[in-house]
């Protein structure tokens, strides 16, 4: 279960490693794929730590880094926090967390500019220092095999939560005196979204849509138990072996089993290519996966790239280095996102591909997260229901 060290220990769970792959060790070997699946719900009122992988809820700030609620570049609405992925790179001295937000306006679905990916990092020495400053008597907890110890529970208090409008400091009201309370109130009032609102000043945090949070568990794709083959799948495998057909390719016309050929034809007619068929076949062993992680690996496309076009991923805005694929959000996540109130809010997508700086560049003392890049592919079935 992906939880902070203190929470995992209290619940009696064995620590589960985060999404973590080594850039150096993967250079000469096939890159493993880690799958994220839904785990237990985050209890109401509890606060997660920045080293927690979860869906929904608030974004948890890495120590020393200020996170702010971003706006949609298209409609200017606040974005909703979808996932938080703790994904340190092996061999790096930095802890590393990625947060993904999306616009919930239907007109913005499927538009990459309506998504936001922010990368936050913190050196372990800084994490230890922050923990010591928060609570000097903290008892460290070993949360991952081979990892150093630190008080995760205390670190949660050091992180900043999703505050309000862009460009404002993180606010976590903790006033203990009337003077402090007045100061906090004044700061919150200055965050009004509109001047002269007849309803009075509106606290932005109340307008930020939020989904019910749950933890994300991590498993290796090649360790997932394969379900028994159906009769149709057995025929498909026999056909592929007999005819030398590569999975994902269209079989030659006029040969093979009728049922198999019909299955391929449906894929061809319905979507115009085999990308969707290949996508569904790849995730069949674990259809409940909500996230696929493979740093510098290959994304799993739900629809093909336009003919004659290749990836057009912009370079890192900070260091100018190239970006590489890191993870993608999967269709199963859509149905698991539930609003925290009575409002019917949702987001629709086929898959969302996240590309990050290959160098994972970061300057010591940096207090702002680095923005990364998302590519949104729509659900091919959406056209049949629109």
């Amino acid at each position: 279960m992906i939880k902070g060290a203190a929470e995992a220990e209290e619940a009696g769970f064995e620590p589960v490693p985060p999404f973590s792959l080594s850039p150096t060790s993967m250079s000469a070997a096939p890159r493993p794929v880690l799958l994220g699946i839904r785990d237990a719900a985050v209890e109401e009122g509890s606060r997660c730590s920045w080293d927690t992988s979860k869906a929904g809820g608030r974004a948890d700030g890495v120590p020393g880094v200020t996170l702010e609620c971003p706006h949609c570049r298209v409609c200017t609405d606040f974005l909703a926090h979808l996932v938080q992925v703790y994904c340190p790179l092996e061999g790096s001295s930095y802890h590393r967390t990625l947060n993904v937000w999306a616009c919930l306006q239907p007109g913005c679905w499927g538009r990459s500019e309506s998504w936001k990916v922010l990368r936050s990092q913190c050196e372990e020495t800084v994490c230890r220092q922050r923990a010591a400053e928060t609570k000097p008597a903290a008892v460290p907890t070993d949360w991952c095999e081979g990892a150093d110890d630190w008080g995760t529970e205390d670190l949660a208090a050091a992180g900043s939560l999703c505050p309000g409008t862009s460009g404002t400091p993180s606010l976590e009201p903790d006033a203990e005196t009337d003077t402090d309370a007045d100061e906090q109130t004044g700061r919150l009032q200055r965050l009004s979204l509109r001047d002269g609102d007849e309803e009075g000043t509106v606290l932005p945090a109340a307008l930020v849509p939020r989904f019910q949070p749950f933890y994300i568990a991590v498993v290796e794709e090649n360790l997932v138990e394969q379900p028994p083959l159906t009769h149709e799948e057995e025929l498909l495998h026999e056909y592929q072996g007999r005819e030398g057909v590569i999975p994902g390719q269209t079989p030659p016309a006029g040969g093979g089993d009728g049922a198999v050929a019909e299955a391929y034809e449906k894929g061809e007619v319905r979507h115009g290519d085999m990308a969707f068929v290949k996508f569904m076949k790849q995730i069949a062993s674990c259809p409940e996966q909500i996230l696929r992680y493979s740093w510098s690996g290959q994304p799993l496309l739900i629809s093909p790239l336009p003919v004659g076009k290749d990836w057009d991923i912009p370079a890192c805005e900070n260091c100018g280095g190239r970006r590489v694929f890191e993870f993608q959000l999967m269709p199963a996540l859509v149905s698991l996102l539930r609003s925290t109130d009575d409002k019917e809010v949702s987001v629709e997508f086929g898959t969302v591909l996240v590309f990050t700086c290959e160098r994972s560049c970061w300057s010591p003392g940096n207090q702002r997260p680095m923005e990364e890049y998302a590519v949104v592919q729509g659900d091919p079935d959406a056209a049949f229901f629109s």
Side-chain angles (χ1 to χ4, degrees), residues 281-343:
K281 183 175 181 179
Q282 184 66 42
I283 69 174
S285 62
C286 185
E288 65 271 27
Q289 61 186 270
I290 61 176
L291 188 151
R292 293 176 64 86
Y293 186 96
S294 181
W295 190 91
S296 195
Q298 292 295 322
L300 181 60
L301 302 183
I302 199 170
S303 57
L305 294 175
V307 178
K309 292 194 64 176
D310 201 350
W311 293 111
D312 185 20
I313 308 300
C316 174
E317 297 175 359
N318 182 59
C319 71
R322 75 182 186 108
R323 286 189 171 106
V324 297
F325 171 76
E326 183 153 353
F327 69 86
Q328 66 189 100
L329 305 183
M330 303 299 285
L333 176 62
V334 174
S335 61
L336 297 178
L337 294 172
R338 308 291 184 185
S339 175
T340 55
D341 51 34
D342 296 332
K343 297 179 181 178

Side-chain angles (χ1 to χ4, degrees), residues 63-65 93-94 119 121-126 130 318 360-368 370:
V65 179
S93 62
Y94 286 95
R119 170 172 53 87
Q121 298 185 190
C122 180
E123 287 188 291
E124 185 172 338
T125 53
V126 176
R130 294 275 177 162
N318 182 59
S360 197
C361 61
W362 191 263
S363 301
N366 191 16
Q367 298 180 355
R368 296 287 179 180
M370 299 294 183

Side-chain angles (χ1 to χ4, degrees), residues 362-380:
W362 191 263
S363 301
N366 191 16
Q367 298 180 355
R368 296 287 179 180
M370 299 294 183
E371 183 170 354
E372 299 294 6
Y373 194 76
V375 175
V376 182
Q377 289 196 307
D379 183 355

Side-chain angles (χ1 to χ4, degrees), residues 14-196:
E14 291 293 328
V16 175
F19 292 96
S20 179
L21 296 175
S22 169
T24 56
S25 64
M26 296 188 301
S27 58
R31 292 168 173 80
V33 176
L34 303 178
L35 305 182
I37 59 176
R38 180 191 171 114
D39 207 330
V42 177
E43 295 182 3
E44 185 176 358
S46 64
R47 292 183 60 184
C48 295
S49 173
W50 50 269
D51 62 348
T52 299
S53 291
K54 66 177 182 179
R58 294 176 181 267
D60 303 305
V62 169
V65 179
T66 301
L67 282 179
E68 300 169 350
C69 291
H71 293 265
C72 175
R73 293 189 180 96
V74 178
C75 70
T76 72
D77 274 8
F78 284 109
L79 303 184
H81 182 247
L82 260 61
V83 297
Q84 175 172 295
V85 181
Y86 176 56
C87 47
L89 298 176
E90 293 182 12
S92 172
S93 62
Y94 286 95
H95 294 285
R96 185 169 176 274
T97 300
L98 291 168
N99 294 92
V100 181
W101 285 267
C103 183
L104 304 186
Q105 293 296 330
C108 295
W109 293 348
R111 305 183 67 169
S112 297
E113 58 268 34
S114 295
W115 290 69
K116 179 82 74 171
V117 180
L118 297 179
R119 170 172 53 87
S120 302
Q121 298 185 190
C122 180
E123 287 188 291
E124 185 172 338
T125 53
V126 176
C127 292
R128 288 179 176 272
Q129 181 181 356
R130 294 275 177 162
E133 292 174 352
T134 305
K135 188 176 181 182
V139 179
T141 304
D142 185 12
W143 65 276
C144 182
E145 182 179 359
D148 291 329
D149 300 333
W150 68 85
T152 307
E153 186 173 29
D154 302 315
L155 290 175
S160 58
L161 300 181
C162 194
T165 57
S166 178
T168 60
S170 174
L171 299 179
E172 184 66 19
D174 55 357
E176 298 179 356
T177 65
D178 292 340
T179 301
D180 291 337
D182 292 340
E183 181 181 352
Q184 291 283 3
T185 300
R187 293 169 69 187
L188 292 175
Q189 288 176 342
R190 289 194 293 274
L191 295 179
S192 175
L193 292 178
R194 300 182 299 274
D195 293 331

